[in-house]
């Protein structure tokens, strides 16, 4: 013990003696990585899992590149993969439209690029550095970053157990009503990469030999990744798979990577990196929120590989399971709210109907078992005339039945914007013929000789009656934003909302804000509000996407519901089991990288009711499976008025883990509880409520 203590004191003394006045090491603790300082050089060695050891040397000399060298290898033999690189960031600043009518900071209907905006190169002054350790992470923070009205620092974070690191410009402004986006990358200040690689949208590897004269170009890639290759290894550069993509109605591939010299006419020299398109899909383009005083984290990831680009990309793809949702025993994956309008634009358009439509193949390849459509939201005749409406529904039912099989259910559904207020999704457990209008002398239900019952709906009471008769469900689409701004709050006291037929609300990452460690909290907060209103509602995820093609960047905009069910129902027999699981809350929501194979509190699962002991003490039991290292879990509960949060730090985790956790919690006085879990790339999963009595 004395010997160990002496060695520790000697080590601390050496570090203190060696460190530069520019570098603060006071927050460094032993975690498996080592940090040494020699004048203006900071050397970080971190355990890189099966790849051995990774090493980066940072140079605080203002006349030299920040990244002096990056190496990877096993034992004491480390091979330098690259050297003389500078991180580069371009911050684009625009004006956010803020008003209560548009949802305030929750706005989606904003066209930021239609207003004046400007791009700025982030300057890096390298004034000083502070190194901290946090669990299995080591962070070097370099002060002196600035762009226009934003200022802050550069952070490089290393993750034990993987040859993974993150580079971020953490910037803040005091200017209100600001919207931003950013481009970023690494600039070669030494020799160029011997070759560069990426997967094209046909999922084929593409290699080029860069030249110093190559003018910067934007590249359409798959898996959001561009790779620099050298004889000693490769470096893959990519963004957070979901957080980087601000919300849009379309998932077009907008060439999210770049390489070459003089990028954006702002970054001098030759580089490679990630980029965002200011114009988006040319519809509503809201960019990212940047509220005053928030720490906006403009960041990208890098993964080192000993081999070529193919090996590097394979290791990057593992973080998103190859852009597919991982199968979990006892669960089926479901995604909702797709406006591809196959019926109007193909099946009834006179065009040849493909035997295997591309959109179905795309959804299957993403690992989806159940897909609920939202047809006729723009085209179609939801209010009639009857001949047109019934013809459209008949085609919808025929095509969804034809395209379903034993492993994939394509289910009919619509997004309505009448009767209830705002926009909402209707979902029945079998084909139901209904028209969204009724004349004064028209019956509520009639019998069609060919189709059976046909309903005509004229108001919210009749809509509720239809859902009750046909055992259907409804929920608020994009609650508190878009066409549902102000909803469901405006109808929370209405009979239809309090009914068991109204499921709750749908979650999607709107708005986007790079200062929070999660994706959008808008509907998570609404879920807590609904529970505090005394209503047992659920939060289901939604995609809300139009075009679906292999070329698109689908995965970035997708999310999934893992429904607790062993097998898929047969389309012909109806899909009541799907709605039953949803109604009971027996599911969790995930972006794909974090999943929850099991969850209970004192044996009670989500959707069930927990009876507390007099002490109020309980135990949260949760199994997590993840790819990126975890960040934290949060136990969220409420007492009918207030919301309480207890955060559990998970930064001792490494990449690609699976672990069962048990956390004690005191729930005295609480009426409901749920749990969220988020990783270091803002990917996550959350449960539904457990109710407390």
């Amino acid at each position: 013990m004395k010997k160990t203590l002496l060695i520790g004191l000697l080590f601390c003394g050496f570090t203190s003696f060696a460190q530069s006045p520019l570098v603060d090491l006071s927050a460094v603790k032993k975690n498996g990585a080592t940090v040494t300082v020699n004048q203006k050089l900071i050397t970080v060695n971190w355990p890189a899992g099966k790849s051995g050891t990774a090493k980066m040397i940072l140079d605080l000399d203002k006349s030299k590149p920040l990244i002096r060298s990056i190496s990877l290898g096993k034992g004491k033999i480390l091979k330098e993969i690259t050297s003389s690189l500078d991180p580069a960031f371009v911050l684009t600043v625009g004006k956010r439209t803020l008003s209560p009518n548009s949802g305030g900071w929750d706005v989606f209907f904003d066209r930021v690029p239609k207003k004046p905006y400007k791009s700025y190169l982030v300057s890096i002054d390298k004034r000083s550095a502070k190194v901290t350790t946090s669990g299995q992470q080591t962070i070097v923070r370099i002060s002196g970053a600035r762009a226009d009205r934003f200022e802050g620092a550069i952070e490089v974070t290393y993750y034990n157990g993987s040859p993974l690191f993150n580079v971020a410009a953490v910037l803040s402004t005091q200017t209100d009503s600001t919207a931003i986006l950013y481009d970023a990358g690494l600039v070669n200040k030494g020799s160029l990469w011997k070759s560069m690689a990426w997967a094209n949208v046909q999922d084929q590897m593409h290699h080029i030999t860069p030249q110093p004269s190559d003018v910067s170009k934007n590249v359409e890639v798959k898996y959001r990744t561009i790779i620099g290759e050298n004889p000693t290894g490769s470096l893959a550069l990519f963004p957070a798979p979901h957080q980087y993509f601000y919300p849009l109605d379309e998932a077009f591939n907008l060439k999210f990577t770049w390489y070459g010299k003089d990028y954006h006419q702002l970054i001098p020299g030759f580089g490679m990196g990630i980029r965002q398109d200011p114009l988006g899909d040319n519809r509503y383009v809201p960019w990212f929120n940047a509220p005053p005083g928030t720490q906006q984290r403009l960041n990208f990831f890098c993964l080192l590989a000993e081999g070529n680009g193919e090996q590097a990309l394979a290791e990057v793809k593992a973080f998103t399971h190859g852009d597919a949702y991982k199968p979990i025993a006892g669960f089926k994956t479901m995604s909702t709210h797709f406006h591809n309008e196959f019926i109007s634009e193909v099946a009834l358009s006179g065009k040849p109907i493909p035997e295997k439509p591309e959109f179905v193949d795309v959804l299957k390849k993403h690992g989806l078992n159940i897909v609920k459509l939202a047809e006729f939201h723009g085209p179609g005749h939801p209010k009639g005339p009857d001949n047109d409406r019934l013809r459209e529904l008949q085609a919808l039912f025929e095509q969804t039945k034809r395209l379903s099989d034993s492993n994939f259910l394509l289910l009919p559904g619509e997004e309505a914007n009448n009767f209830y207020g705002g926009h909402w999704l209707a979902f029945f457990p079998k084909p139901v013929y209904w028209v969204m209008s009724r004349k004064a002398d028209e019956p509520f239900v009639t019998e069609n000789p060919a189709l059976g019952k046909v309903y005509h709906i004229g108001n919210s009471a009749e809509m509720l009656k239809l859902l009750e008769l046909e055992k259907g469900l409804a929920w608020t689409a994009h609650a508190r934003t878009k066409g549902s701004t102000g909803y469901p709050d405006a109808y929370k006291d209405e009979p239809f909302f309090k009914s068991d037929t109204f499921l709750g609300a749908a979650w999607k990452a709107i708005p986007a804000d790079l200062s929070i460690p999660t994706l959008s909290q808008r509907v998570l907060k609404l879920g807590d509000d609904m529970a505090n209103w005394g209503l047992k509602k659920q939060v289901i995820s939604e995609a809300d996407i139009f075009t679906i093609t292999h070329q698109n960047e689908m995965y970035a905009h997708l999310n999934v519901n893992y429904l607790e069910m062993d097998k898929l129902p047969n389309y012909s027999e109806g899909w009541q089991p799907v709605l039953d699981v949803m109604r009971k809350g027996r599911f969790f929501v995930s972006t794909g990288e974090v999943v929850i194979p099991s969850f209970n509190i004192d044996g009670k699962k989500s959707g069930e009711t927990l009876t507390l002991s007099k002490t109020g003490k309980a135990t949260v039991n949760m199994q997590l499976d993840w790819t990126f290292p975890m960040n934290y879990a949060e136990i969220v509960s409420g007492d009918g008025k207030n919301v309480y949060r207890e955060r559990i730090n998970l930064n001792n985790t490494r990449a690609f883990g699976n672990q069962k956790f048990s956390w004690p919690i005191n729930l005295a006085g609480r009426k409901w509880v749920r749990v969220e879990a988020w990783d270091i790339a803002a990917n996550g999963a959350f449960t539904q409520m457990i109710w407390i009595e």
Side-chain angles (χ1 to χ4, degrees), residues 587-629:
F587 65 94
F588 68 88
V589 173
S590 173
T591 58
E593 300 78 10
V594 182
V595 294
I596 308 173
S598 66
F599 163 68
N600 71 79
I601 300 180
D602 286 357
K604 296 297 183 180
K605 296 182 177 182
S606 61
E608 296 182 339
T609 300
L610 170 67
T611 301
L612 290 174
S613 67
K614 291 182 179 180
T615 65
K617 294 180 179 179
T619 301
V620 176
N621 302 297
M622 172 176 275
Q623 181 182 355
L624 291 176
D625 188 306
W626 64 85
T627 57
F628 288 89

Side-chain angles (χ1 to χ4, degrees), residues 149-425:
R149 69 208 70 173
F150 286 79
E151 59 182 14
I154 301 298
E155 288 187 356
V156 186
T157 305
Y158 312 89
Y159 305 97
N160 288 353
S162 175
L164 179 73
F165 63 93
N166 180 275
V167 183
V170 185
L171 304 174
S172 180
T173 182
Q174 295 303 320
T175 304
D176 201 4
S177 306
T178 300
I180 63 170
L181 52 76
Y182 74 96
D183 309 334
L186 294 173
V187 178
N188 297 72
K189 292 300 180 72
S191 59
L192 299 188
W193 299 99
K194 293 298 181 185
S195 60
M196 302 186 69
W198 59 84
N200 62 23
V201 292
Q202 288 78 40
D203 209 2
Q204 302 165 329
M205 286 302 294
H206 186 76
H207 298 262
I208 62 106
T209 301
Q211 303 297 326
S213 59
D214 288 343
V215 176
S216 173
K217 65 183 297 184
N218 305 330
V219 189
E220 186 181 65
V221 307
K222 201 170 181 67
Y223 309 113
R224 306 159 297 279
T225 302
I226 191 163
I227 304 161
E229 299 175 304
N230 277 332
T232 51
S234 303
L235 183 149
L237 192 155
F238 57 98
H242 301 281
Q243 183 195 45
Y244 185 64
F245 298 85
Y246 59 82
L248 296 170
D249 285 326
E250 296 281 8
F252 297 146
N253 191 316
L254 300 174
K255 298 184 178 181
F256 296 109
T257 63
W258 62 273
Y259 77 89
K261 70 172 187 177
D262 197 25
Y263 174 71
H264 215 303
Q265 297 183 337
L266 285 173
I267 299 178
F270 186 100
M272 67 172 185
I274 57 174
R275 64 174 296 274
Q276 292 166 323
D277 193 314
L279 302 181
D281 57 14
N282 289 306
R283 291 165 61 91
Y284 290 99
V285 185
W287 292 10
F288 290 91
N289 287 340
T294 58
Q295 299 292 310
Q296 296 295 318
R297 189 176 178 83
L298 325 180
N299 73 99
F300 60 89
F301 288 91
C302 293
L303 189 73
L304 308 174
E306 297 174 282
N308 60 12
E310 282 84 347
Q311 178 193 336
L313 183 59
E315 294 182 11
V316 171
K317 287 166 59 178
F319 284 99
T320 60
H321 306 294
D323 282 11
Y325 293 100
K326 178 180 179 177
I328 302 177
F331 289 87
K332 298 299 179 184
T333 56
M334 181 181 80
S335 193
T336 74
H337 200 154
F338 294 94
H339 295 302
N340 51 309
E341 302 295 356
F342 179 74
I343 303 305
S344 298
E345 297 183 8
V346 179
L348 295 177
S349 68
K351 300 176 184 177
I353 301 176
E355 180 66 24
K356 296 180 179 180
E358 181 181 14
F359 83 94
V360 173
D361 190 48
V362 171
L363 297 170
K364 285 183 175 181
K365 286 188 175 180
H366 280 82
L368 297 175
N369 304 127
I370 307 167
V371 171
K372 181 202 172 297
L373 299 175
E375 293 285 274
F376 314 131
H377 187 50
H381 303 82
K383 295 183 179 181
D386 281 13
N387 287 341
D388 293 328
R389 170 65 170 171
L390 299 181
R391 175 171 166 263
E392 289 163 355
L393 286 176
Q394 186 174 17
L396 174 64
F397 301 148
E398 288 174 351
Q399 290 299 318
T400 51
K401 180 179 180 180
R402 178 181 75 86
L403 296 170
S404 296
D405 55 44
S406 60
N407 295 310
F408 180 77
L409 275 180
L410 184 65
L411 299 181
E414 298 183 70
E415 181 179 7
N417 57 4
N418 50 11
F419 309 133
Y420 283 175
H423 292 194
W424 53 278
L425 273 292

